[in-house]
């Protein structure tokens, strides 16, 4: 995490490699920033997340393809297939599903796919960062809860 180096010279931190804890911290801070901007009305977070998912899926697919084709990484193949399925789902369902439902479905599908890969492979990486089961479980729980709350608010689920 190298906080002392970051405080003394912020640009020097770019020379230090990061680990998974930095990745998790970045996801947390990004989520908090998006939540804050959404509540203040400063950003259309739904449009941002939908655009981010599209870019993330393509970039991840290309990264995993390079890992598989150029570096002969056999563990990239499963994640590459998962990303291809999610990308096809995103492109075909984009006009048919509501944005909240599509985003939640893709994020839930991603976390379930990663969890399945964790049971098959010894490890799963996202852009070279090793992903742990607690992160995937938390990611799934947050997105599943968001999907249920959004559908309940929209009136899709009837209350007894």
């Amino acid at each position: 995490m190298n906080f002392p180096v970051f405080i003394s010279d912020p640009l020097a931190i770019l020379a230090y490699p990061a680990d998974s804890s930095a990745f998790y911290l970045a996801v947390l801070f990004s989520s908090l920033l998006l939540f804050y901007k959404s509540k203040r009305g400063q950003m259309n977070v739904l449009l941002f997340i939908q655009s981010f998912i599209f870019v993330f899926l393509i970039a991840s697919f290309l990264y995993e393809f390079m890992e598989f084709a150029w570096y002969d990484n056999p563990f990239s193949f499963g994640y590459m297939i998962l990303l291809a399925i999610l990308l096809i789902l995103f492109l075909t369902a984009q006009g048919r599903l509501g944005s909240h439902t599509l985003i939640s479905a893709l994020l839930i599908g991603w976390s379930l796919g990663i969890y399945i890969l964790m049971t098959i492979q010894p490890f799963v990486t996202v852009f070279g960062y090793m992903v742990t089961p607690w992160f995937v479980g938390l990611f799934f729980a947050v997105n599943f809860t968001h999907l249920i709350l959004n559908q309940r608010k929209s009136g899709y689920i009837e209350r007894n």
Side-chain angles (χ1 to χ4, degrees):
M1 298 283 275
N2 297 318
F3 281 119
V5 175
F6 178 71
I7 300 294
S8 65
D9 188 10
L11 290 178
I13 201 69
L14 297 175
Y16 289 91
D19 58 356
S20 295
S21 60
F23 174 73
Y24 301 142
L25 192 62
V27 170
L28 175 68
F29 286 162
S30 297
S31 300
L32 291 174
L33 180 66
L34 289 176
F35 181 76
Y36 174 75
K37 287 192 176 261
S38 172
K39 290 301 176 189
R40 302 243 352 208
Q42 296 175 338
M43 174 187 254
N44 184 350
V45 176
L46 191 63
L47 182 61
F48 175 79
I49 291 174
Q50 194 168 357
S51 302
F52 176 78
I53 288 175
F54 183 63
V55 171
F56 175 80
L57 290 174
I58 290 176
S60 294
F61 181 82
L62 290 175
Y63 181 87
E64 296 301 324
F65 180 77
M66 288 188 298
E67 283 286 320
F68 182 73
W70 287 342
Y71 301 114
D72 295 325
N73 184 354
F75 299 117
S76 294
F77 187 72
Y79 188 47
M80 188 173 61
I81 296 298
L82 172 65
L83 292 168
I85 292 168
L86 292 174
L87 193 55
I88 290 169
L89 178 68
F90 180 81
L91 293 173
T92 57
Q94 192 170 15
R96 298 179 183 154
L97 292 176
S99 295
H100 280 287
T101 306
L102 177 62
I103 289 169
S104 294
L106 286 170
L107 294 177
I108 289 169
W110 180 85
S111 56
L112 285 175
I114 292 289
Y115 188 73
I116 291 169
L117 285 175
M118 284 180 174
T119 61
I120 298 171
Q121 299 177 178
F123 61 89
V124 178
T125 60
V126 175
F127 289 114
Y129 296 109
M130 198 171 300
V131 181
T132 56
W134 71 264
F135 176 76
V136 176
L138 180 64
F139 197 79
F140 174 79
V142 167
N143 287 301
F144 191 73
T145 303
H146 181 263
L147 177 67
I148 296 299
L149 292 176
N150 182 50
Q151 287 185 344
R152 194 172 277 181
K153 186 184 347 176
S154 299
Y156 291 130
I157 298 175
E158 300 284 331
R159 291 189 178 186
N160 293 332

